[in-house]
Amino acid sequence: MKIAIISDIHGNLEALDATLKDIAKRKVDKIICLGDIIAKGTHPKECLERIRKKCEIVLQGNCDAHFSIEHKNIEEMPEQEQKRIKWNQSLINKEDREYLLKLPFCYEFYMSGSLVRLFHATPTVNNKAILNVDSIETKYQMFLPSKKTPSQAVADVIIYGHIHHPYMDKIYNKTIINVGSVGNSFDAIRNKNKDSNVLETTKSNYLIIEGEYRSQEYSSDISFQFIKVPYDIDKELEDENLNIEKENYRFELKQDMYNDMTKINENFKKLGIDVDKI
Ligand SMILES: [Mn+2]
């Protein structure tokens, strides 16, 4: 069984279509989406239609919830946030919002003997960033069950999105994987003196997991494949004038950096890492 796992499309239709084409070419049996279909790009509606048609399982990301829910206190929010919420909500309809609000939080299955658990950000909340450079103890917490996980077992493999930065690590004989982002990929650690070609990062990222589906036997193989798909960024930006955050969106897609790197660097500082010195 070959399962493609995609995440964080963020309304980027060019990236999603290129990715779905690549997935079709590789003859996968099913597609799972880890959420954040909307918010950022100008095509959340089209992305939603594709995801609903193509994905067997879709989990809820923080943006799916944040930009679909009715904010009773919206007038008290900062003006820019009010604009973002109103703009994002104007691009989808009521039925889309209801669909996004009903999406499940977590999904799990056995594959070749391993319990594989999927969620958007962590087993307890959908908006906390656990980075590849976080401590082993922090990463270990990611394998533990919560009230929101289907089973109460400790997972063998966890697969998540949210941080837009693909990686894989082994901790206490367990496997932690971030699938990266389809529509808004970036590398968290950047240093212009040491960087390689940013075109490597701009590609859409996704994962294929292959093994004996629903088998609790360790006797068969399991594999994880990271795939990077190029797409037409200029075409994606053709209607950028419709985007209320077009400068940010253009910067993120073209530079492969989050529009506010100081925010990311602050996160690193909290971990005791000075990004200018690594
Ligand atoms: Mn997210």
Side-chain angles (χ1 to χ4, degrees):
M1 170 77 87
K2 262 173 117 171
I3 304 175
I5 305 178
I6 62 174
S7 191
D8 295 83
I9 294 95
H10 284 291
N12 184 336
L13 185 60
E14 283 299 317
L16 179 59
D17 278 345
T19 302
L20 290 174
K21 207 170 151 188
D22 191 85
I23 289 172
K25 188 179 82 187
R26 290 171 202 269
K27 308 216 179 322
V28 305
D29 299 291
K30 64 169 94 191
I31 310 174
I32 296 176
C33 175
L34 305 184
D36 275 5
I37 304 159
I38 65 164
K40 280 184 188 290
T42 53
H43 301 280
K45 180 94 188 146
E46 293 87 342
C47 290
L48 258 171
E49 276 162 19
R50 306 279 204 283
I51 294 291
R52 290 177 77 160
K53 210 165 110 193
K54 301 275 184 185
C55 299
E56 201 168 300
I57 306 285
V58 182
L59 302 182
Q60 187 187 63
N62 55 315
C63 291
D64 301 321
H66 182 68
F67 294 105
S68 296
I69 207 160
E70 195 75 55
H71 291 278
K72 294 222 164 66
N73 60 343
I74 190 162
E75 304 304 326
E76 293 154 32
M77 290 178 170
E79 205 189 355
Q80 188 55 24
E81 191 54 21
Q82 290 188 34
K83 270 194 203 160
R84 285 180 75 212
I85 291 169
K86 283 175 188 163
W87 180 68
N88 279 294
Q89 290 190 345
S90 75
L91 299 174
I92 54 175
N93 65 25
K94 196 165 168 271
E95 200 260 326
D96 296 327
R97 286 168 64 183
E98 280 163 5
Y99 166 80
L100 289 167
L101 287 171
K102 274 193 216 134
L103 290 174
F105 181 86
C106 184
Y107 182 68
E108 57 188 42
F109 55 84
Y110 274 91
M111 186 168 255
S112 304
S114 291
L115 175 62
V116 181
R117 182 173 289 141
L118 315 176
F119 42 75
H120 182 67
T122 82
T124 50
V125 292
N126 65 10
N127 61 357
K128 193 175 170 199
I130 304 299
L131 303 171
N132 56 330
V133 292
D134 263 304
S135 71
I136 286 175
E137 267 316 301
T138 301
K139 281 159 127 179
Y140 174 69
Q141 304 292 317
M142 295 284 270
F143 296 94
L144 303 181
S146 79
K147 283 179 190 153
K148 295 176 175 175
T149 55
S151 83
Q152 290 305 302
V154 176
D156 303 301
V157 177
I158 62 112
I159 303 179
Y160 72 115
H162 186 58
I163 62 170
H164 300 204
H165 177 87
Y167 77 91
M168 173 167 161
D169 204 355
K170 291 289 291 183
I171 298 159
Y172 304 119
N173 203 29
K174 304 176 201 311
T175 306
I176 183 168
I177 293 174
N178 192 288
V179 301
S181 165
V182 166
N184 195 241
S185 175
F186 58 75
D187 280 327
I189 300 171
R190 294 293 291 269
N191 177 329
K192 60 179 184 303
N193 299 315
K194 295 175 182 171
D195 278 345
S196 296
N197 192 337
V198 292
L199 290 175
E200 199 271 341
T201 314
T202 48
K203 293 177 179 176
S204 157
N205 290 279
Y206 77 98
L207 182 94
I208 288 178
I209 175 171
E210 188 170 4
E212 200 71 51
Y213 187 58
R214 290 186 173 150
S215 167
Q216 299 197 34
E217 304 296 322
Y218 278 94
S219 50
S220 53
D221 60 284
I222 184 167
S223 65
F224 310 102
Q225 185 180 14
F226 287 90
I227 298 149
K228 286 176 167 284
V229 187
Y231 71 96
D232 192 339
I233 293 171
D234 290 318
K235 195 165 175 215
E236 173 59 26
L237 293 171
E238 261 173 11
D239 63 358
E240 64 179 348
N241 286 331
L242 301 172
N243 197 327
I244 60 153
E245 295 187 295
K246 72 170 179 180
E247 286 83 13
N248 286 349
Y249 193 57
R250 169 170 279 269
F251 181 83
E252 288 178 0
L253 296 198
K254 287 280 192 180
Q255 305 298 318
D256 326 306
M257 282 192 241
Y258 185 58
N259 67 74
D260 184 1
M261 282 306 277
T262 51
K263 199 169 143 190
I264 289 197
N265 293 351
E266 285 300 317
N267 282 336
F268 279 112
K269 267 198 196 123
K270 279 183 215 150
L271 300 169
I273 299 163
D274 185 347
V275 279
D276 296 326
K277 296 194 178 128
I278 53 175

